[in-house]
Amino acid sequence: MPELFIGGKWTAAVGGQVREIRCPADGTLVATVDEAGPQDAARAVAAARDAFDGGPWPATSAAERGRLLLRVADLLEREKDALARAESLDTGKRLVESEYDMDDIANCFRYFGNLVASGGKDRIVDTGNPDADSRVVHEPVGVCSLITPWNYPLLQTAWKVAPALGAGNTFVLKPSELTPHTAIILMRLLAEAGLPDGVANLVLGAGQSVGAPLTEDPRVDLVSFTGGLVTGRRIMAAAAPTVKKVALELGGKNPNIVFSDADFEAAVDYALLAVFLHSGQVCSAGARLLVQVELHDAFVDEIVRRARAIPLGGPFDDHARAGPLISAGHRDKVEAYVAAGLAEGAVLRCGGARPDDPALQKGYYYLPTVLDDCTPGMSVVRDESFGPVLTVERFRNEEEALALANDTMYGLAGAVWTQDVAKGRRVASRLRAGTVWINDFHPYVPQAEWGGMKQSGFGRELGPAGLAEYEEAKHVWRNLSPSPQRWFE
Ligand code: NAD
């Protein structure tokens, strides 16, 4: 069966192109899928436009839209095993991590389903004028281009698809060209849940040939993008001539601040989780460890001891705790950042190489790496390497910690570790980031907004604001007893 989904039909690419999807853990062929081009993007936008302008979905009641999202959540649970397996084959991620993601994805649909069905957002405005009826109502934005990355393929998709549908929009989804499979399954489930034809459309392919047209097409009203900073800048520029609404979820270079009064065991454990989860391919990864000088030696020694012991392996290796990087090209990029850091004076404490294990040679593995004695000017500290690379910097006091933590163009997430409640709160309030954890790292819930400050982007996903991204507020004023005003007399 062809893999593009346009206007309620499965279709091949007009140009007849296909792409091989290979598992990053060992390079085996997962599948060959249709590779869309600009004409397919245009067809998909046309279908979404028709479904928005003439189809039933935007006028469907909020209660019914909410019910559909809840049905999708049930179907996602039913298909959890197949989805998790597909996600792991595309990404190389451990199966257990994909299974966690699938639970979160069903919860995301459930959250937005309930939020939408509960309604209650429209309001009557008290104008003080008894002859006027003034109301503010919320309507869908229109046709949305949803463009997503490879690190959490279906999760990032769910954060966009659920609120976009909940608000009554139609959309064209373009997942990363490296990880298309769970998006294909999602389209089947949306159709099974009863979504009208043309509301959800899927095109697969490269950023330049099929992503870019989705950001330029005048028939598109909104672009919601999750991905890298450079692509985000391009998309913002591409959307400008037609003044589309844009929401950008970009990268991060997130500080993890550890004060000497932190709970040592917990802080070490979470510092490892912060940076090495999914081999560092997490936008909110705690890749910059800032540690108070008194604690530095003992803390970093323990991190290094434990990082050296992290077993690497493929998605179905029960013994593995971290997997491969997404591609050979991405591993090259990570290696270049480590080399630059070492050239600039960082001290290699562990890793910094590919594993020797013969069983891992076909995959894109890289050892968990700790670089000590880092300074803010190093490129490995400033830029998102998006790999299993922890940089360590020291600070003397709270002011110095905050100055280092905020010395970044990004502002996605950050954490502070201390047993002093007041200090934790003070630091949290002064961190310029969209998410701050105190004595924790990585948790999120669909009820709470997610997004970045500074060049980590703008707009919010999840929470009530994540739904509002996909809505327009409209003021409707009704004059109950119109009479001539005679303004010009
Ligand atoms: P990427 O920017 O290379 O690609 C993301 C998507 O954009 C892909 O689907 C790609 O095909 C598409 N694309 C590329 N060029 C395009 C163009 N000119 N026009 C339209 N679409 C285009 O990012 P990636 O390497 O897939 O993902 C990793 C990045 O995503 C990291 O920087 C990471 O921090 C970020 N990310 C952010 C969040 C967040 O919530 N802020 C979450 C996950 C990932």
Side-chain angles (χ1 to χ4, degrees), residues 5-21:
F5 190 63
I6 299 178
K9 297 194 171 53
W10 293 99
T11 156
V14 168
Q17 307 262 323
V18 292
R19 175 188 290 267
E20 289 186 345
I21 306 299

Side-chain angles (χ1 to χ4, degrees), residues 147-151 156 174-177 206-208 211-212 215 225-228 231 234-235 249-252 283 384 386 412 450:
I147 302 176
T148 53
W150 47 260
N151 61 335
Q156 299 302 331
K174 196 210 84 65
S176 166
E177 55 274 37
Q208 265 312 319
T215 64
F225 169 75
T226 302
T231 317
R234 273 194 204 125
I235 286 177
E249 293 289 340
L250 309 178
C283 53
E384 193 187 37
F386 223 53
L412 188 60
W450 177 269

Side-chain angles (χ1 to χ4, degrees), residues 19 78 89 123 132 176 212 257 271 284 314 366 380 428:
R19 175 188 290 267
R78 188 191 75 194
L89 285 170
R123 64 186 202 276
S176 166
I257 306 172
S284 51
Y366 193 71
V380 71

